[in-house]
Amino acid sequence: MAQRTLTTESGAPVADNQNSASAGAGGPLLLQDQHLLEKLARFNRERIPERVVHARGSGAYGHFEVTDDVTEFTRAAFLDTIGKRTEVFLRFSTVADSLGGADAVRDPRGFALKFYTEEGNYDLVGNNTPVFFIKDPLKFPDFIHSQKRDPFTGRQEPDNVWDFWAHAPEATHQVTWLMGDRGIPASYRHMNGYGSHTYQWTNEAGEAFFVKYHFKTNQGVRSLSSEQAAEQVGKDANSHQTDLLQAIERGVHPSWTLYVQVMPAAEAADYRFNPFDLTKVWPHADYPLQRVGRLVLDRNPDNVFAEVEQSAFSPNNFVPGIGPSPDKMLQGRLFAYADAHRYRLGVNHTQLPVNAPRATTAENYGRDGLMATNPQGRYAKNYEPNSHQGPVQSDQPLSAPYALDGHTGNHAPVAHTKDDDFHQAGELYRLMSGDEQQRLVANIAGGLSQVTRDDVVEKNLAHFRAADPEYGRRVEEAVRELRES
């Protein structure tokens, strides 16, 4: 095969890619050396702003196959037939650290899934935990600031982390998850994924249901202790990326079984927990898991930057039959995620190959802007309605409406009969074995004992006592021992 000729970005052949043009053999370089200037200018611009959260990530392509009939609950086309397959892209991530952070750390993991459906892309943005630290997006920037590197010390500070949690009692449930045995997954393949939020499904008859997604790993859940994780980071800071890449390359394709919990919409108002509170779960005894299908990852990206870093997920990318719920955190993310991508990647990020629809074509009147690649041709109009056979609205809402009442304003959540910040955290603690409880207490005490303010320590201890008196007592004793040693 003939050797291809190296060219500039404009397509002109490059005569010399080893030596810059200069004024004589030993003279200064020339500004007219277009190839040198182009290479240096592009090099200076190879990086884009990293994600504020979920910066460190890995991803892979695969498919989702329907195994069970769920048409009773949703009219989403990609779920309408047993055996139907839909191409997907899944991005895993840590939350708090920067792009250069290590994989095997105690941190929630992002589980962001893009379904390339025939009705458009459906993005499901979740985590490897079914709950989260807060229930209102107004607190999200403050929460992330407390977990990120301190502006003065340039490192994550226990004082900041635990001070925020001391003032956010609703975080007790997620803190118990994070500090427990599942806080450091052994790999991305060996953890579950959850939609975390509550979503709405609507069937052909217009009936509405609220749902929660559970992706159960078929590899089995495996986690690392704090000591094992420290050893792993020392050996390979990219351990999760390495594991995922190598497993798929050698033909070991990780998979997850998708289950949903389904709540008829009429039951939401009187459920004993607020079903839209992201800090709480729906007990399986109330709403059992119902199997939907199987998710398989079978192809690695060819270019991590183009396909993992430039992948953009937004929870407001719904398809007919699926929509949002009144979950406040979800409502905030409907704006924040898309806005983050427009900042990082530009207004036309949806035209990038990893983000563009694959089983259908995007038809809209968006034009121009940075890096636009959809000129549409001379006869296409950029306004609607028009007389030129441009795309028109479907007149079919994606999901069912829900009734609203009351006055506008800044409202505290309406408490349901069993709503509090500690009940479910206590239940989670009591579900653990004795060994699991011991490790949980040790993990919490390891961080809390480093906090310099006694009042912050006491506020956190009060949360654990409220969840379970034994839980609080054991953490208090462990903190005291570490501080006195």
Side-chain angles (χ1 to χ4, degrees), residues 438 440-446 448-449 461 471-485:
Q438 183 176 353
L440 167 67
V441 168
N443 291 333
I444 293 173
L448 193 54
S449 63
L461 291 175
Y471 186 10
R473 176 183 57 78
R474 292 176 65 179
V475 173
E476 181 178 13
E477 291 173 353
V479 169
R480 185 186 309 117
E481 289 178 8
L482 288 172
R483 298 182 89 183
E484 291 174 352
S485 63

Side-chain angles (χ1 to χ4, degrees), residues 76-405:
F78 77 102
L79 298 174
D80 67 3
T81 306
I82 292 176
K84 178 180 280 192
R85 287 190 174 189
T86 299
E87 184 181 4
V88 300
F89 182 78
L90 175 58
R91 184 178 187 270
F92 305 98
S93 56
T94 54
V95 174
D97 213 344
S98 60
L99 185 59
D103 286 343
V105 294
R106 189 170 298 278
D107 198 15
R109 300 300 191 276
F111 194 96
L113 188 59
K114 187 181 296 290
F115 297 85
Y116 300 101
T117 90
E118 63 264 50
E119 297 179 300
N121 290 352
Y122 171 43
D123 290 353
L124 181 59
V125 180
N127 285 325
N128 71 327
T129 61
V131 293
F132 197 60
F133 299 93
I134 54 176
K135 62 181 74 174
D136 192 305
L138 195 63
K139 299 174 73 171
F140 188 75
D142 301 294
F143 164 63
I144 294 300
H145 290 163
S146 75
Q147 310 297 301
K148 285 283 195 177
R149 296 173 185 268
D150 182 85
F152 171 64
T153 66
R155 64 175 193 166
Q156 190 182 54
E157 289 292 346
D159 273 349
N160 299 347
V161 170
W162 289 96
D163 187 30
F164 182 88
W165 288 341
H167 292 87
E170 70 268 27
T172 308
H173 193 185
Q174 174 73 319
V175 170
T176 303
W177 268 89
L178 179 62
M179 297 299 170
D181 279 0
R182 296 193 181 190
I184 312 178
S187 78
Y188 289 132
R189 297 183 297 129
H190 293 93
M191 69 180 195
N192 295 334
Y194 301 89
S196 301
H197 296 289
T198 300
Y199 294 90
Q200 187 205 78
W201 277 7
T202 310
N203 65 17
E204 286 287 359
E207 296 173 304
F209 304 86
F210 292 118
V211 300
K212 282 185 175 291
Y213 295 89
H214 302 249
F215 291 86
K216 299 291 188 177
T217 175
N218 295 320
Q219 291 69 238
V221 172
R222 285 179 47 205
S223 304
L224 302 175
S225 67
S226 297
E227 295 75 18
Q228 290 171 325
E231 182 180 356
Q232 185 67 267
V233 169
K235 291 179 179 178
D236 180 7
N238 305 303
S239 56
H240 288 25
Q241 164 70 12
T242 301
D243 176 84
L244 181 66
L245 174 74
Q246 292 182 351
I248 295 175
E249 286 296 292
R250 66 176 185 268
V252 178
H253 298 154
S255 67
W256 290 257
T257 300
L258 171 61
Y259 299 87
V260 292
Q261 291 177 283
V262 182
M263 174 188 293
E267 297 180 11
D270 296 324
Y271 187 49
R272 67 184 191 277
F273 304 112
N274 179 354
F276 312 118
D277 181 347
L278 186 56
T279 68
K280 295 187 174 63
V281 298
W282 302 353
H284 293 181
D286 295 345
Y287 297 99
L289 297 180
Q290 302 189 47
R291 193 176 66 176
V292 180
R294 181 180 175 89
L295 169 68
V296 179
L297 299 182
D298 55 16
R299 180 165 68 86
N300 283 311
D302 293 320
N303 184 294
V304 171
F305 175 79
E307 298 167 272
V308 179
E309 287 311 300
Q310 291 196 131
S311 63
F313 302 84
S314 178
N316 62 9
N317 287 340
F318 292 113
V319 293
I322 303 178
S325 78
D327 178 339
K328 285 188 175 182
M329 283 296 294
L330 173 60
Q331 292 285 321
R333 284 173 167 156
L334 297 181
F335 162 75
Y337 276 60
D339 185 58
H341 304 318
R342 294 184 188 105
Y343 162 66
R344 292 182 62 245
L345 301 167
V347 70
N348 289 308
H349 67 274
T350 55
Q351 298 174 31
L352 295 170
V354 70
N355 300 321
R358 299 193 173 196
T360 187
T361 301
E363 294 275 7
N364 56 63
Y365 295 94
R367 297 290 188 275
D368 309 334
L370 188 67
M371 303 301 291
T373 62
N374 58 343
Q376 301 290 324
R378 70 174 67 182
Y379 300 111
K381 302 302 178 183
N382 64 345
Y383 58 88
E384 198 277 335
N386 62 61
S387 304
H388 298 267
Q389 288 73 54
V392 297
Q393 65 194 40
S394 70
D395 291 324
Q396 296 181 353
L398 300 187
S399 57
Y402 40 83
L404 302 174
D405 59 28

Side-chain angles (χ1 to χ4, degrees), residues 46-73:
E46 280 184 357
R47 296 294 174 263
I48 60 175
E50 68 174 43
R51 290 168 167 87
V52 177
V53 289
H54 297 279
R56 171 66 187 156
S58 303
Y61 292 96
H63 65 267
F64 177 79
E65 180 175 354
V66 178
T67 59
D68 294 79
D69 184 4
V70 291
T71 56
E72 176 186 355
F73 308 116

Side-chain angles (χ1 to χ4, degrees), residues 397-416:
L398 300 187
S399 57
Y402 40 83
L404 302 174
D405 59 28
H407 301 279
T408 61
N410 300 84
H411 299 289
V414 176
H416 290 225

